[in-house]
């Protein structure tokens, strides 16, 4: 039996920048606290969500699952590579659609004091595999999540 699946690899880097009216410690907490992060790191409206797990430490893991009703299941599995309290978070993650890997990414979140608030810069470097995801969809999804966090902290 031959494998007729079309293989492809697309590399893409994007940056999401936001200024928040909250200090870096509060913004950092939105990444570090499982209950708080679960309020903004959510599946799109109308999706079904599975369990959300967060072990926020270097070497720790984060995992979530969701799907459109009747659609494929998407799984996010991350590992924290570097954490600097109130300043920086670096993690790598794999996205699956059902059992297929659709992307592998490295994300860096930088928090810089700006007046009474914080300048958040998120940079993601990804490789999107076999057409299961696109850079545009990922960038839009990440920007939506960050905007949800900004609204939550406002």
């Amino acid at each position: 039996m031959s494998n007729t699946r079309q293989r492809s690899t697309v590399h893409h880097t994007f940056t999401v920048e936001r200024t928040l009216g909250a200090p870096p410690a509060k913004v950092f907490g939105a990444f570090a606290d499982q209950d708080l992060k679960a309020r903004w790191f959510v599946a799109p409206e109308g999706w079904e969500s599975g369990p959300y797990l967060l072990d926020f430490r270097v070497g720790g893991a984060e995992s979530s699952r969701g799907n459109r009703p009747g659609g494929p299941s998407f799984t996010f599995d991350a590992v924290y590579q570097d954490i600097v309290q109130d300043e920086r978070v670096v993690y790598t993650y794999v996205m699956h659609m059902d059992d297929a890997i659709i992307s592998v990414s490295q994300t860096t979140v930088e928090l810089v004091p700006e007046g009474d608030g914080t300048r958040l810069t998120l940079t993601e470097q990804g490789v999107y595999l076999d057409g299961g995801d696109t850079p545009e969809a990922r960038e839009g999804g990440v920007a939506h999540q960050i905007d949800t966090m900004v609204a939550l902290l406002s």
Side-chain angles (χ1 to χ4, degrees), residues 24-84:
K26 187 171 182 180
V27 178
F28 185 85
F31 286 88
D33 180 88
Q34 180 169 331
D35 293 333
L36 186 55
K37 189 164 185 187
R39 294 174 59 195
W40 65 266
F41 191 79
V42 295
E45 188 173 329
W47 282 46
E48 300 168 4
S49 294
Y52 174 67
L53 305 170
L54 175 63
D55 178 12
F56 190 76
R57 61 181 174 83
V58 173
E62 180 177 7
S63 181
S64 67
R65 177 176 288 241
N67 63 283
R68 291 183 286 271
S73 177
F74 292 88
T75 305
F76 167 92
D77 288 312
V79 175
Y80 287 94
Q81 306 298 333
D82 182 60
I83 298 172
V84 178

Side-chain angles (χ1 to χ4, degrees), residues 1 9-10 16 20-22 35 45 51 60-61 75 83 87 128 135 140:
M1 182 173 183
T9 305
V10 176
V16 175
L20 293 87
D35 293 333
E45 188 173 329
T75 305
I83 298 172
E87 294 181 27
Y128 303 88

Side-chain angles (χ1 to χ4, degrees), residues 107-139:
T107 302
T108 303
V109 178
E110 298 170 277
L111 307 175
V112 176
E114 189 168 287
D116 292 336
T118 303
R119 181 71 176 167
L120 179 150
T121 303
L122 181 151
T123 303
E124 184 164 312
Q125 300 163 293
V127 57
Y128 303 88
L129 306 170
D130 306 330
D133 200 355
T134 66
E136 298 79 17
R138 180 65 54 79
E139 187 170 349

